[in-house]
Amino acid sequence: MPPIPLRVADLVKHFGSLTALDGVSLELSEGEILGLLGPNGAGKTTLVRAIAGRVIPEAGSVSLFGVAAAPGDSGSRQKLGWVPQEIALYPLLSVRENLQSFGRFHGLLGPDLDAAIDEALHWSGLADRAGDRTKNLSGGMKRRLNMAAGVIHRPALILMDEPTVGVDPQSREKIYAMIEELRRGGVSIIYTTHYMEEAERLCDRIAIIDRGKIIADGSRDELLRSTIGLERELTVDCGSAIPEPVRTLLSARGATVEGQRVRLPVRDTRREMEALLQLLDAEKIAVDDLSFRKPNLEAVFLHLTGRGLRE
Amino acid sequence: MIFHVIRNSAMNLRRDRAALVLTFVLPIAFFSIFAGVFGARGDSRTPRIRLIVVDEDRSDHSAALVAALGKESGLNVMKETADKRAPVTAYDRASAEAAVKAGRAPVAIVIPKGFGESAFAFSSTNRPRMLLLADSSDPIAPQMVTGLLQKVAMTSSPTTMAEAGIGEVDRWSGGLTAEQKGRLAAGLDRMRRDSAAGTGSAVSGALIEVDVRDILGESKKAPLIAFYAAGTGVMFLLFSASSAGGTLLEESESGTLDRLLSTRVTMTTLLLGKLLFLTIVGVVQLTVMFLWGAAVFGLELFSHLGGFYVVTIATALAASAFGLLLASVCRTRAQLGALSTLVILIISALGGSMFPRFLMPEAVQRFSLIAFNSWALEGYLKVFWREEPTARLWPEVAVLVGTAILFTFIARRVARKWEIT
């Protein structure tokens, strides 16, 4: 049985009085994409940098493919690729020259390097811009090149730190397609984001991180089931105050009432919606607005922390 | 509204340390350096000129002249060799010339044999011709020594001069009467007493003829161009090295440094790579500068290529390490800009890029050796001016290479801050 690509055990890191990592542990299987979901400042980047060997944890350990990887030890990280959050490229060099440089720094030479550059250009969709200076690329193209520079040496495990920050929807789709291609190639990926849509779409498993701790870990459905359930939520905004007897009736049906707003988890959408509207009609309570919401990770995060992901 | 603009600008200036340093600290630091160089901290006297004296005459007159020169406050008279490795001997013509060539003194005078006998002969054919060996890189010292020589000649032997004058009058006027001779003798006695008491007055007039020989510049087409090329070249090399060293800060800010260090590149490899690259750029920069000097100003580069490259490589290496050190101790480009301007202008002033070191007061000259660039300029001086063999450049090369090693070592230690957090 091949060694597990990544095992992180009990990482602790402080920056002054700030606790960035508070005993973080996780594992990543071969070919798996693990989403690290959390708000800004939750500790995602510190965790990624600790795995990349760029942060010295005060406690805990990182092992890559069964080998302990000490901080700053690049030798044990040959199979690791890192796509940092910043556009860490040489702006005056061309696209190809940037890939050449990072390929060489990763130890590639000669035909191997040329093949890796061609592959990276094709993968990132930048083949027709290979000769352009990096500073002249669009934001989305720079992001793609940033990713290509991180995987030029064909690593088996890739750390991607918010690779879609500040990217327009079209470029984002292209980046998703690039990641899907990596998935098909059997690469293991740690993907940090604070966009729950990305985590839901791309990741096999999601670890929710908040204040340096992983507070939930599992597939999307496992996280929903263990927190808010898989039901949709019906929200009704009423046009007048809801009398106490009606509140009692609604609560008995499993609804929550906040002021003039009623929330009700629903499985049989049509039947339960009609029943609720009939009840309100019978009590002469007008309905101003009505909406459905699929259960999502945002709601899971809200449920777990009492705060929104983007707060 | 103008007031708000002023207030806003003032708030920004207050928080911009680099700008504050450039605005207030740099001018004061610079002023202090120049005051030290030119004014010797409030003492406005001209720095003492080192003067080698060779007394070939060994007469009473020559001894009196040498003694009088020694009393001149503007001169530091050296009669004997001061080489610690060899026994002390009186300077002769050859050793004095060698000493001036080696830069131990800017001027030497040779009092020729027969000076005492015909010291103040009024006939121009019999006048003693003193030889002044000069290093014309110092334009002031030979002129001052020539002037002082005339003064000293008259004040050291006024009675001898008067006796010679009386002799000439007696000879050409058909003879003096006994009474006239008696009065003149009484006057001479009074002069001797005044001279002994130090109350005599000096008489001006060029009575000693001096042959000046520029022993360093006489064979050169464009003697001083090498000075300017070295001074300017080294100063701008320091600026370009510190600016290029700033790429480290740019890489840190952009994240490429972090990314690099996550590859197989280590911090030591990175710093050594940058050091060698900056050195190559520095060598090319100085080569271009000197080639321009050769093409346009007649600098004699091609006859000194060996020495030039020895000094240039050592200088570029030290300047590159200096640039990396400055960059590594700074956190931002703005900090680096302020610090490098401050340090480079100060060491350039001290090291002789703006004002030749040999014209500075001796104490400042000695102190200025702490500026490593002064060794670079001294190296170029040896190559182009003193035309010393390449092997004689070892002290300058040793100091420059040693400085480069030390600076690189410190930069490597300081660069730990970028390695991991």
Side-chain angles (χ1 to χ4, degrees):
Chain A
M1 194 176 154
I4 188 165
L6 172 67
R7 178 173 282 126
V8 171
D10 305 317
L11 284 188
V12 176
K13 178 70 183 177
H14 291 87
F15 292 110
S17 59
L18 178 82
T19 304
L21 297 176
D22 191 4
V24 170
S25 298
L26 58 83
E27 289 186 356
L28 183 67
S29 308
E30 196 177 333
E32 185 182 31
I33 301 184
L34 171 66
L36 271 180
L37 183 66
N40 289 330
K44 302 187 297 290
T45 297
T46 305
L47 176 56
V48 164
R49 287 172 57 79
I51 297 169
R54 308 297 309 133
V55 159
I56 306 175
E58 288 135 30
S61 64
V62 173
S63 64
L64 300 167
F65 300 95
V67 178
D73 171 19
S74 57
S76 59
R77 290 182 168 83
Q78 298 301 319
K79 290 186 188 171
L80 180 69
W82 176 34
V83 179
Q85 200 177 119
E86 306 84 22
I87 307 274
L89 299 166
Y90 295 103
L92 297 180
L93 299 192
S94 70
V95 170
R96 181 180 287 278
E97 286 163 345
N98 262 294
L99 293 173
Q100 258 169 0
S101 297
F102 286 107
R104 286 189 188 122
F105 296 150
H106 277 292
L108 297 175
L109 289 169
D112 284 350
L113 177 60
D114 293 339
I117 292 169
D118 289 342
E119 201 175 295
L121 286 170
H122 180 258
W123 176 65
S124 58
L126 292 170
D128 58 336
R129 305 295 299 269
D132 290 8
R133 284 198 184 186
T134 301
K135 68 172 186 174
N136 297 331
L137 299 181
S138 70
M141 287 177 179
K142 283 180 190 163
R143 282 273 158 210
R144 274 144 56 194
L145 179 57
N146 203 36
M147 290 172 71
V151 305
I152 183 82
H153 57 304
R154 303 184 188 97
L157 166 61
I158 302 171
L159 308 171
M160 290 196 181
D161 195 358
E162 309 216 20
T164 59
V165 166
V167 166
D168 62 82
Q170 199 183 345
S171 293
R172 190 171 293 186
E173 283 301 321
K174 173 64 189 165
I175 289 173
Y176 293 161
M178 288 163 69
I179 293 165
E180 292 294 349
E181 204 176 323
L182 290 174
R183 183 208 298 276
R184 287 195 292 278
V187 176
S188 306
I189 298 174
I190 296 265
Y191 188 98
T192 81
T193 180
H194 58 265
Y195 296 124
M196 57 137 193
E197 304 87 356
E198 274 186 9
E200 287 185 348
R201 175 172 172 173
L202 295 172
C203 303
D204 304 310
R205 194 156 59 89
I206 294 155
I208 296 179
I209 185 166
D210 186 44
R211 293 176 180 165
K213 279 190 170 168
I214 291 186
I215 54 175
D217 181 1
S219 68
R220 173 186 172 277
D221 285 356
E222 283 169 353
L223 290 173
L224 291 173
R225 204 175 293 123
S226 64
T227 53
I228 57 171
L230 292 166
E231 297 91 350
R232 289 177 162 211
E233 188 180 74
L234 168 63
T235 303
V236 177
D237 286 323
C238 300
S240 58
I242 303 168
E244 193 52 43
V246 181
R247 285 174 175 261
T248 312
L249 270 174
L250 289 169
S251 298
R253 291 186 180 197
T256 51
V257 180
E258 296 161 0
Q260 292 178 209
R261 175 171 285 183
V262 180
R263 293 177 195 270
L264 178 69
V266 290
R267 284 195 184 85
D268 184 340
T269 311
R270 186 169 173 177
R271 193 180 59 76
E272 289 179 70
M273 180 184 71
E274 282 177 359
L276 178 64
L277 291 176
Q278 279 172 7
L279 189 151
L280 293 172
D281 195 41
E283 296 295 333
K284 306 268 190 266
I285 297 170
V287 172
D288 275 358
D289 194 23
L290 183 146
S291 61
F292 282 99
R293 195 177 68 173
K294 275 184 173 178
N296 61 26
L297 294 171
E298 176 89 43
V300 171
F301 190 82
L302 189 66
H303 176 86
L304 290 170
T305 66
R307 292 178 288 118
L309 262 172
R310 292 184 181 82
E311 280 177 20
Chain B
M1 201 47 71
I2 288 175
F3 171 73
H4 294 304
V5 172
I6 293 170
R7 194 168 69 169
N8 180 276
S9 304
M11 278 159 54
N12 276 299
L13 176 64
R14 206 174 59 203
R15 287 184 192 149
D16 185 346
R17 283 190 200 167
L20 278 176
V21 166
L22 282 176
T23 311
F24 299 109
V25 180
L26 184 61
I28 291 173
F30 221 60
F31 162 67
S32 306
I33 296 284
F34 270 86
V37 168
F38 289 106
R41 279 192 294 171
D43 180 358
S44 59
R45 282 176 305 171
T46 312
R48 275 153 59 103
I49 294 167
R50 280 165 293 145
L51 170 68
I52 292 173
V53 178
V54 180
D55 185 0
E56 290 181 347
D57 188 38
R58 298 185 187 280
S59 66
D60 291 346
H61 297 308
S62 66
L65 186 76
V66 172
L69 284 171
K71 284 179 190 160
E72 281 298 321
S73 59
L75 296 177
N76 175 11
V77 172
M78 300 147 72
K79 288 178 277 190
E80 292 167 334
T81 55
D83 189 344
K84 286 173 189 161
R85 288 161 298 180
V88 174
T89 52
Y91 274 114
D92 57 19
R93 198 178 280 242
S95 61
E97 186 169 333
V100 173
K101 265 189 180 165
R104 284 196 279 280
V107 200
I109 53 165
V110 179
I111 305 171
K113 219 167 181 53
F115 170 82
E117 289 169 19
S118 55
F120 300 102
F122 284 84
S123 155
S124 61
T125 50
N126 292 335
R127 278 184 185 178
R129 298 184 75 83
M130 208 166 275
L131 180 62
L132 192 143
L133 305 170
D135 173 354
S136 58
S137 67
D138 183 338
I140 298 166
Q143 306 235 17
M144 259 194 78
V145 170
T146 309
L148 283 171
L149 214 48
Q150 303 302 337
K151 175 197 161 194
V152 165
M154 305 195 85
T155 54
S156 66
S157 316
T159 49
T160 312
M161 227 172 66
E163 279 170 343
I166 292 164
E168 292 296 318
V169 171
D170 189 28
R171 184 173 155 203
W172 296 105
S173 64
L176 295 168
T177 64
E179 188 191 350
Q180 284 169 327
K181 283 181 180 172
R183 282 185 184 178
L184 284 168
L188 281 172
D189 280 344
R190 202 162 49 246
M191 269 182 86
R192 283 193 190 95
R193 283 197 302 276
D194 286 351
S195 177
T199 53
S201 58
V203 184
S204 65
L207 290 167
I208 294 184
E209 288 199 24
V210 179
D211 287 336
V212 178
R213 228 184 88 205
D214 178 1
I215 60 170
L216 283 156
E218 63 190 355
S219 61
K220 294 180 176 63
K221 277 186 279 178
L224 290 175
I225 291 302
F227 271 131
Y228 305 131
T232 317
V234 171
M235 184 165 74
F236 279 92
L237 179 66
L238 293 176
F239 274 116
S240 62
S242 74
S243 169
T247 57
L248 263 177
L249 293 165
E250 272 166 22
E251 292 201 32
S252 167
E253 282 162 19
S254 72
T256 47
L257 183 61
D258 228 10
R259 184 172 220 168
L260 264 181
L261 295 173
S262 76
T263 67
R264 296 185 183 195
V265 178
T266 63
M267 183 53 93
T268 304
T269 316
L270 180 69
L271 284 183
L272 287 179
K274 287 197 177 285
L275 179 72
L276 288 181
F277 171 72
L278 294 183
T279 303
I280 292 166
V281 172
V283 169
V284 173
Q285 188 184 344
L286 285 170
T287 303
V288 169
M289 177 104 188
F290 276 75
L291 276 175
W292 178 258
V296 179
F297 299 106
L299 191 150
E300 293 172 316
L301 173 64
F302 300 105
S303 51
H304 299 89
L305 268 185
F308 167 73
Y309 272 112
V310 168
V311 178
T312 295
I313 291 169
T315 302
L317 188 68
S320 304
F322 168 79
L324 287 181
L325 175 62
L326 279 188
S328 67
V329 298
C330 293
R331 292 198 175 275
T332 62
R333 265 274 184 188
Q335 265 187 12
L336 176 65
L339 183 69
S340 59
T341 308
L342 183 73
V343 175
I344 292 171
L345 286 181
I346 287 174
I347 65 172
S348 292
L350 263 183
S353 275
M354 300 175 183
F355 183 72
R357 279 182 60 243
F358 48 73
L359 295 183
M360 298 176 187
E362 269 184 55
V364 179
Q365 279 190 43
R366 276 195 300 276
F367 177 70
S368 68
L369 289 175
I370 63 160
F372 72 93
N373 54 326
S374 66
W375 294 85
L377 295 184
E378 188 61 29
Y380 284 115
L381 197 73
K382 277 189 174 178
V383 172
F384 288 100
W385 190 249
R386 308 201 186 290
E387 302 196 305
E388 294 197 12
T390 306
R392 296 282 290 275
L393 295 169
W394 70 265
E396 286 74 25
V397 171
V399 168
L400 290 168
V401 173
T403 303
I405 292 169
L406 178 69
F407 284 177
T408 307
F409 179 74
I410 299 171
R412 177 65 190 86
R413 293 292 294 249
V414 178
R416 280 180 179 175
K417 67 180 175 185
W418 287 313
E419 279 189 282
I420 28 181
T421 48

